[in-house]
Amino acid sequence: MLPMQPSERAAPRLWAVALALVLLYLWQLGAAPLFDVDEGAFSEATRELLSSGDWGHTTLNGTDRFDKPILVYWLQAASMAVFGVNEWATRLPSALCVLASTWAAGRFAARRWGQPTGALAALVLGSGLGLLSIGRASTADGLLNALLVAISLSLWQFAESGARKPLRWAYFWCGLGLLAKGPVAVIVPGGALVLWSLFSDRGRTALRAAWEPLGWLIALAVALPWYLYALNRHGQAFIDGFFLKHNVERFSGTLEGHGGGFAYYLVVLPLLLLPWSPLLVAVLARARELWREPLARFLLIWAGFVFLLFSASGTKLPHYMLYGVAPLALLMARQLGAIGRFGRAALWSALALQLALAAALPTLLPALAPQVKDVWVRGLFETAPGAGWLPLWTGLAAVLALAALLLRRFDFGQRYGAAVLAVALLWVGAVIPWLSDTLQGPFKAAGVWASGRSETMVQWRMHQPSFAYYRGIPTPQRDPAAGELALVKRHRLGDFPYPHEVVFEQRGLLLVRRLTEPQP
């Protein structure tokens, strides 16, 4: 397929996509309660950092937290310091990072294949269900994904031209990546470049990239001070907690029950790419032809390396595969103009499926409740809040998507992109807030009720960091002393060994006051 050429309307199209994505990511950003465990943990750890004034280390419910390096907490704390302690502020850095990655991918594609393809690449990357999710979550993944895009595209610019400037930028981004999530920020882009170089020029490019003394100095100057500080402050506890548990053990074993077979990401990847998933089939069908092009080969290796790396990992989470979505989005955007009638029908079917799921969720979850084994989740499904305005929003999105389909004066990419944005706005504006309220509403309500109260509170046999965030005070996991309040799930109340009184209840979540010592 020949590269798409720029047109007079190309540059405005790229800017129009960028503005549409800004609206998509910032609208209703704070409407959904925080999701536990990850969002609650990152947000509460950041709140504790901001409250303590100790910007060198994070704690969660007063206990040292070594899960991730410091950079994402700095960004979230800065946002909270400016905009207040709220969901919008704590999620804002993730949204901005994902927006930056879509812009970088769009500009990269535009310079090589024309501005229309660049605009499409930004839209494919930014409106896919997976990246849209991490861009609205207060975790480190949006930040890491943006840095992986920056590192990888800079490495390609070096491989393409031999210029040292983009290579040194790659080292700088690697330094930030080490501060964002650790070694994975070097392993993914470095592994992709090494494999590409071995296939393309017997490793010469990789060797030239590795022999860059100034680059190493830049990366170490960015990342090393904090690592030395953490090591000096915590010693072996930092090594055990960060390097061994959350890096080595996460890859070699299954942490927190997040396992899966080698084919795990074969199922996950099409879901992350919705509603653009059919384009992945078109790309894979041309993989042998694409392999002959140096840039396309690099993009395929980047995505394939991520797939193989995390498929081999003992711990599997859906968002790990998102680190390989950017190269696929670039290839998929380039492929859109070449698909036939069947491919276009498949795309419209994927979008219709996403729209139908949004419409069905308020009915589907209560209907599925009897089949759910987890007693707590089953209760949440059974007591899901009413759909409210969700049916109206769904109908409006369907009308807008249909109108886009009928606008024949625009090309297929423009019409489908407009329809995708309409459905994506439905998800971020109505579906995700409703789903989060269904699953997390009781914890926010309990935390808000508990905020400002003077009693000591604990979590009994649960780990819900969002409760502490909304309460505004660390809330440890332990048994309550006499007179203390305990956060308890009703279905576990029969095992609660102390006399108590219920002081708060919502949808099966209780706050109970322990009255006396346990009876013999």
Side-chain angles (χ1 to χ4, degrees), residues 311-348:
S311 293
S313 173
T315 302
K316 292 181 174 64
L317 287 167
H319 61 263
Y320 291 170
M321 191 59 221
L322 287 172
Y323 307 148
V325 161
L328 293 177
L330 289 165
L331 293 171
M332 289 159 63
R334 191 181 175 198
Q335 183 62 26
L336 182 61
I339 64 170
R341 182 176 299 178
F342 179 79
R344 296 179 182 185
L347 283 168
W348 285 114

Side-chain angles (χ1 to χ4, degrees), residues 107-471:
R107 289 292 301 274
F108 180 86
R111 290 170 178 171
R112 285 152 180 82
W113 305 316
Q115 292 281 352
T117 303
L120 199 56
L123 184 60
V124 172
L125 183 61
S127 60
L129 194 57
L131 209 65
L132 188 59
S133 298
I134 66 166
R136 302 178 67 84
S138 56
T139 66
D141 297 296
L143 171 60
L144 176 63
N145 188 73
L147 291 170
L148 290 176
V149 170
I151 297 165
S152 300
L153 298 186
S154 296
L155 288 177
W156 172 254
Q157 291 175 47
F158 164 74
E160 184 180 45
S161 66
R164 290 285 164 174
K165 183 177 179 179
L167 179 60
R168 289 163 185 164
W169 272 111
Y171 275 93
F172 172 75
W173 300 126
C174 278
L176 290 180
L178 290 170
L179 283 180
K181 210 165 183 179
V184 68
V186 177
I187 292 171
V188 167
L193 180 67
V194 167
L195 289 175
W196 178 87
S197 184
L198 288 173
F199 280 112
S200 304
D201 60 10
R202 298 184 180 181
R204 289 191 294 274
T205 298
L207 287 174
R208 290 199 304 271
W211 183 249
E212 177 51 54
L214 180 57
W216 284 105
L217 286 174
I218 292 170
L220 292 174
V222 171
L224 193 58
W226 178 81
Y227 277 91
L228 291 177
Y229 169 80
L231 184 61
N232 179 68
R233 177 170 176 171
H234 301 287
Q236 190 64 38
F238 176 66
I239 296 173
D240 292 342
F242 176 69
F243 288 105
L244 296 182
K245 180 179 179 181
H246 288 286
N247 284 278
V248 177
E249 291 181 24
R250 187 172 290 275
F251 185 82
S252 62
T254 301
L255 287 188
E256 300 164 350
H258 298 303
F262 195 82
Y264 178 89
Y265 291 109
L266 288 176
V267 177
V268 168
L269 181 57
L271 298 177
L272 297 177
L273 292 172
L274 274 175
W276 302 93
S277 308
L279 285 176
L280 178 60
V281 178
V283 169
L284 294 178
R286 294 187 60 239
R288 180 175 296 182
E289 179 184 348
L290 291 169
W291 187 264
R292 301 189 189 102
E293 302 176 25
L295 173 54
R297 187 186 314 132
F298 177 76
L299 297 174
L300 288 170
I301 289 174
W302 174 3
F305 182 76
V306 171
F307 178 85
L308 293 175
L309 177 68
F310 290 107
S311 293
S313 173
T315 302
K316 292 181 174 64
L317 287 167
H319 61 263
Y320 291 170
M321 191 59 221
L322 287 172
Y323 307 148
V325 161
L328 293 177
L330 289 165
L331 293 171
M332 289 159 63
R334 191 181 175 198
Q335 183 62 26
L336 182 61
I339 64 170
R341 182 176 299 178
F342 179 79
R344 296 179 182 185
L347 283 168
W348 285 114
S349 298
L351 188 62
L353 175 63
Q354 190 175 344
L355 185 62
L357 181 60
L361 271 178
T363 304
L364 185 63
L365 292 192
L368 290 175
Q371 282 74 48
V372 176
K373 294 182 180 180
D374 187 296
V375 176
W376 171 250
V377 176
R378 185 194 312 151
L380 292 177
F381 283 10
E382 290 172 343
T383 61
W389 293 94
L390 183 55
L392 178 62
W393 283 110
T394 304
L396 179 60
V399 170
L400 291 175
L402 182 61
L405 172 63
L406 299 175
L407 291 175
R408 298 295 182 183
R409 61 187 296 262
F410 297 100
D411 63 46
F412 174 75
Q414 290 174 302
R415 288 184 285 124
Y416 188 72
V420 166
L421 287 171
V423 176
L425 284 170
L426 164 68
W427 275 84
V428 302
V431 178
I432 293 177
W434 177 85
L435 183 61
S436 179
D437 194 37
T438 297
L439 300 176
Q440 293 291 137
F443 298 105
K444 180 175 181 177
V448 171
W449 180 89
S451 63
R453 300 182 71 92
S454 59
E455 296 102 323
T456 300
M457 301 184 195
V458 300
Q459 299 185 65
W460 188 74
R461 296 189 183 181
M462 70 173 72
H463 178 46
Q464 304 290 158
S466 67
F467 172 76
Y469 176 86
Y470 290 115
R471 183 186 171 215

Side-chain angles (χ1 to χ4, degrees), residues 47-88:
R47 190 202 63 77
E48 291 180 27
L49 179 152
L50 192 61
S51 177
S52 69
D54 182 356
W55 286 64
H57 175 59
T58 55
T59 60
L60 180 58
N61 287 320
T63 302
D64 291 339
R65 176 173 167 84
F66 298 121
D67 293 44
K68 300 294 181 291
I70 200 69
L71 183 57
V72 68
Y73 302 106
W74 284 344
L75 296 178
Q76 291 183 169
S79 181
M80 289 185 191
V82 174
F83 299 108
V85 180
N86 55 70
E87 296 98 332
W88 193 91

